[in-house]
Amino acid sequence: MIDLCLNNVKGLCDPMVGIDQVLEKLSTVIDPDLKKDIVSMGMIKDLELNDGNLKFTLELTTPACPFNVEIEDDVRKVVGEIEGLKNFDMNVTAKVMEGRSLDADTGMATVKNIIGVASGKGGVGKSTVSLNLALALSQTGAKVGLLDADIYGPSIPLMLGMKDGFMQVEDNKLQPAESYGLKVVSFGFFAEQAHQAAIYRGPIISGILKQFLVDTNWVDLDYLIVDLPPGTGDIPLTLAQTIPITGILVVTTPQDVASNVAVKAIGMFEKLNVPIIGVVENMSHFICPNCTDKHYIFGKGGAKKISEQFNIPFLGEIPLNSGIMSGSDLGKPIMISNPDSPSAVAFRTSAKNIAAQCSILAAKLQQEMASEENTESAPEASTSG
Ligand code: ADP
């Protein structure tokens, strides 16, 4: 609570300040991602103004937004400029925006955002990146699930040290396993069936993914990260066609960019009208342990080039680091084993950028749904005359 009258500055304790004046001032604060003012975005809740005492809740669009501190500071600054306030009390919360239709008919109505993680080819670190990004989002306070959809080669249980993990079925629904605060589903938890996956054909594989998506008790999730198998096969197609998703995150390496395989994956999702959230470059550079310089040993700027070519956001670069690899091998990912390391910071930065892009896509979706509703409810134009 800030007592604005403390120094009895002239005019500050004038009780004539009104709600309109407060809202007008607050609406000068613009969310840098959404490019809209915080009042029209509905981010100011439970506003009370009594006799110069102002109180409200600032509801941010995700706890992982990179601009949260900036927005909060701007709000405090503009409120400080309002003459006539005696006290100001602000509660700051975050409610993740829905980046997909939660219509009951479409299924998975308790999952606000579904992010498919794709790559052109295997071995680029897609599973490693999916897992550490899920952990980074979860560490901001968001509720996060991780679906290992690489049915032919599930690696997430090993990376989480859950080699002997399993999932239970209750009321005909799969109950996700839990690890480091994540809800986790993987075909790797079905040990016997997982051995046979290599001989499963497309329809069976698609059926398994559909079950993992819609027959799992996901409870309330802000973000579900879906680690897809590499390439453009049945599983990425099934994900794109089964349920509405927020979008696809593409993971590349500098070498991958040169061989053009990432481009194919992007092309497929664009054809299916699935939004591309952006691109993250893994094994982007090596940070010299003695001098802290970045060495771009596989070439520089490849993923940025792709982002420019397809006009999709570049969301971060993850270093090549033995700690990232050993964390996965030992079942203790780097976001857990060494959360202050430069690699963990890189994952955190990318995760925040991804959350910001999800908010942007959510705002766009809300606008589209609102304009569809308006078109449906608008009276038909008169043809007489
Ligand atoms: P994919 O899912 O694309 O097949 P994985 O996530 O399984 O790839 O990673 C392949 C290998 O590369 C694993 O041994 C993993 O530990 C390692 N790896 C992934 N990213 C990095 C990185 N940034 N630095 C060092 N090793 C990495």
Side-chain angles (χ1 to χ4, degrees):
M1 180 100 73
I2 304 167
D3 188 344
L4 298 172
C5 287
L6 254 189
N7 298 321
N8 205 14
V9 179
K10 192 171 174 292
L12 271 188
C13 298
D14 177 356
M16 295 305 286
V17 60
I19 284 198
D20 288 352
Q21 199 185 336
V22 171
L23 289 177
E24 197 183 307
K25 208 62 178 146
L26 286 173
S27 61
T28 60
V29 177
I30 306 293
D31 181 311
D33 276 325
L34 306 177
K35 312 263 184 295
K36 280 198 172 157
D37 76 85
I38 58 169
V39 175
S40 62
M41 282 302 298
M43 288 160 74
I44 303 296
K45 304 269 189 231
D46 307 326
L47 189 142
E48 285 174 29
L49 180 64
N50 291 318
D51 195 20
N53 297 303
L54 175 65
K55 195 172 157 191
F56 58 78
T57 295
L58 170 66
E59 191 179 82
L60 299 159
T61 57
T62 163
C65 173
F67 294 111
N68 281 354
V69 175
E70 190 178 313
I71 295 172
E72 197 182 323
D73 286 351
D74 284 354
V75 170
R76 289 191 191 283
K77 183 170 165 277
V78 298
V79 170
E81 289 165 4
I82 303 172
E83 288 197 0
L85 282 184
K86 288 182 193 161
N87 289 303
F88 168 46
D89 191 3
M90 176 166 72
N91 175 32
V92 183
T93 60
K95 185 169 165 226
V96 173
M97 292 173 81
E98 293 153 11
R100 54 186 295 270
S101 163
L102 297 191
D103 199 322
D105 301 344
T106 53
M108 301 185 75
T110 56
V111 182
K112 287 183 180 174
N113 288 282
I114 299 181
I115 302 169
V117 184
S119 66
K121 64 175 172 61
V124 302
K126 179 183 42 56
S127 300
T128 309
V129 170
S130 301
L131 172 57
N132 283 290
L133 288 178
L135 289 166
L137 285 171
S138 162
Q139 286 170 1
T140 67
K143 287 172 269 174
V144 184
L146 177 61
L147 168 50
D148 178 4
D150 195 345
I151 289 164
Y152 290 114
S155 53
I156 296 292
L158 274 178
M159 291 182 177
L160 281 168
M162 302 173 82
K163 197 162 60 75
D164 301 319
F166 58 92
M167 286 186 304
Q168 293 187 328
V169 179
E170 275 171 36
D171 300 330
N172 282 334
K173 288 260 178 194
L174 282 170
Q175 303 298 319
E178 281 207 51
S179 180
Y180 302 119
L182 301 178
K183 304 268 180 208
V184 187
V185 166
S186 170
F187 199 51
F189 292 141
F190 298 88
E192 280 180 27
Q193 290 91 329
H195 286 309
Q196 298 172 23
I199 59 164
Y200 287 168
R201 298 173 63 133
I204 298 179
I205 291 286
S206 296
I208 294 170
L209 177 63
K210 281 182 193 166
Q211 271 195 307
F212 282 173
L213 290 166
V214 294
D215 292 336
T216 296
N217 184 15
W218 286 113
V219 209
D220 286 330
L221 288 184
D222 293 320
Y223 303 100
L224 175 64
I225 307 289
V226 183
D227 176 20
L228 294 166
T232 52
D234 292 312
I235 293 179
L237 258 176
T238 305
L239 177 71
Q241 293 174 336
T242 304
I243 33 140
I245 67 171
T246 309
I248 294 289
L249 174 72
V250 179
V251 178
T252 66
T253 60
Q255 307 93 306
D256 184 27
V257 173
S259 61
N260 246 0
V261 281
V263 167
K264 272 192 213 146
I266 295 172
M268 181 188 90
F269 288 109
E270 284 198 331
K271 266 203 199 99
L272 294 168
N273 282 329
V274 177
I276 308 286
I277 295 171
V279 54
V280 167
E281 187 173 86
N282 189 31
M283 308 192 206
S284 159
H285 54 270
F286 176 73
I287 302 177
C288 169
N290 297 322
C291 62
T292 70
D293 282 351
K294 285 183 180 178
H295 297 276
Y296 290 84
I297 41 188
F298 303 122
K300 193 176 175 193
K304 274 200 183 125
K305 243 182 251 157
I306 288 195
S307 89
E308 281 159 18
Q309 183 187 344
F310 287 88
N311 197 20
I312 55 178
F314 176 74
L315 301 174
E317 47 182 37
I318 312 294
L320 175 74
N321 176 271
S322 59
I324 295 179
M325 190 182 70
S326 59
S328 295
D329 288 352
L330 298 171
K332 210 165 187 197
I334 197 147
M335 288 309 299
I336 302 294
S337 62
N338 200 352
D340 298 323
S341 60
S343 301
V345 171
F347 279 121
R348 208 169 293 127
T349 304
S350 302
K352 286 186 172 188
N353 289 338
I354 290 161
Q357 286 307 314
C358 287
S359 297
I360 292 171
L361 288 168
K364 206 170 137 201
L365 184 73
Q366 277 178 11
Q367 217 168 21
E368 281 166 10
M369 291 197 309
S371 68
E372 262 170 39
E373 262 171 38
N374 285 343
T375 321
E376 276 165 23
S377 59
E380 276 182 32
S382 167
T383 50
S384 62

